[in-house]
Amino acid sequence: MGVVLNIENGKREPASIKDLIDLTAADMGRVNKLILSKAGSDVEMIPEVANHLISSGGKRLRPMLTLAAAQMFGYAGEGHVKLATAVEFMHTATLLHDDVVDESGMRRGKKTARMIWGNQASVLVGDFLLGQAFRMMVDVGSLEALDILSSAASIIAEGEVMQLAAAKNLETTEDEHFAVIKAKTAALFSAAAEVGPVIAQATRNDRAALRSYGMNLGLAFQLIDDALDYGGTSKDLGKNVGDDFREGKVTLPVILAYRRGTKAERTFWKRAIEDNVVDDAGLEKAIGLMTRHGAIADTIGRARHFGEIARDALAPLEATPQKSALIDVIDFCTSRVN
């Protein structure tokens, strides 16, 4: 169930991250080997749970950002592979924890780990992966990279708590929602992009450019996800369309539709989100209200705004294949709704 989103007129080539994949292919081969190695344990359940999610077909976009950003500034060591693996472990741990907090049943088209092994195992294996991530950061020997990624881990946890505190609160403002997704999603994108130039000993300006690029890309990425939950397909999302609605999540399309709605419409939203009165008919009505008030289209517009900020952050940097590939990522993220 959903609406077809076709925001732009005219035909154009579909956005792709093929160049990013090609540029980082050799290094990603090493990352994938290291992921399998570091996810191993004599405790049998740990690799079972970890590999369930690790092998489930995620694009591994965040570690590719780390690799490309390091290449961009001529890095020739081994540290970027360990940092990219650490970034992926941080992301995987966050997903394991998120699914427990959100009581999610599906992730990337498969049952979530919590549905198979239980909440306790998901949380504890997530903690194991975070521990392995920090060990790899230490192995690299860059205090600055360690500071960036460990700070991101703290910020992500803060974002989770912020979201929990604001759960089902329809009075959440747009600024408050941006603060949550900046912490929960964009902080790791930002750190993943910044540690590349850090270990390549690039200039402060170059590091700041990649940090800003990652932050704004992350915001755009999450806002598109928010829109896709009401206007996409299960294939786009890797989960069921409308899961955010069923879980009572207050995302930007909900915030906009609620604020722009009539008194009767706001009563519907309160019953659905606050009282958890949800079904397929309710989801269809929610999508209709969002469409009527332009909530999905405006969410996409906000995402594209952050995408342009990410593009501008890279603009002053020297033209390289990696820079071009990172710009393609922006278009890829924001075109998922076409």
Side-chain angles (χ1 to χ4, degrees), residues 276-296:
N276 199 37
V277 180
V278 295
D279 54 23
D280 287 346
L283 175 58
E284 191 169 352
K285 181 172 181 178
I287 293 170
L289 293 176
M290 288 174 178
T291 304
R292 179 186 306 169
H293 294 294
I296 299 175

Side-chain angles (χ1 to χ4, degrees), residues 222-302:
Q222 185 57 54
L223 288 172
I224 293 296
D225 262 9
D226 288 354
L228 282 172
D229 195 71
Y230 293 96
T233 65
S234 294
K235 182 181 177 184
D236 294 327
L237 286 163
K239 60 179 184 177
N240 294 317
V241 172
D243 271 357
D244 286 353
F245 180 73
R246 295 182 190 94
E247 293 165 11
K249 286 187 179 179
V250 180
T251 58
L252 188 58
V254 174
I255 291 169
L256 296 178
Y258 176 76
R259 289 183 171 272
R260 295 170 181 177
T262 64
K263 185 176 180 180
E265 289 169 358
R266 285 196 288 273
T267 298
F268 160 77
W269 285 113
K270 286 179 179 178
R271 275 176 52 79
I273 301 297
E274 294 179 358
D275 300 335
N276 199 37
V277 180
V278 295
D279 54 23
D280 287 346
L283 175 58
E284 191 169 352
K285 181 172 181 178
I287 293 170
L289 293 176
M290 288 174 178
T291 304
R292 179 186 306 169
H293 294 294
I296 299 175
D298 284 352
T299 297
I300 295 164
R302 306 281 199 280

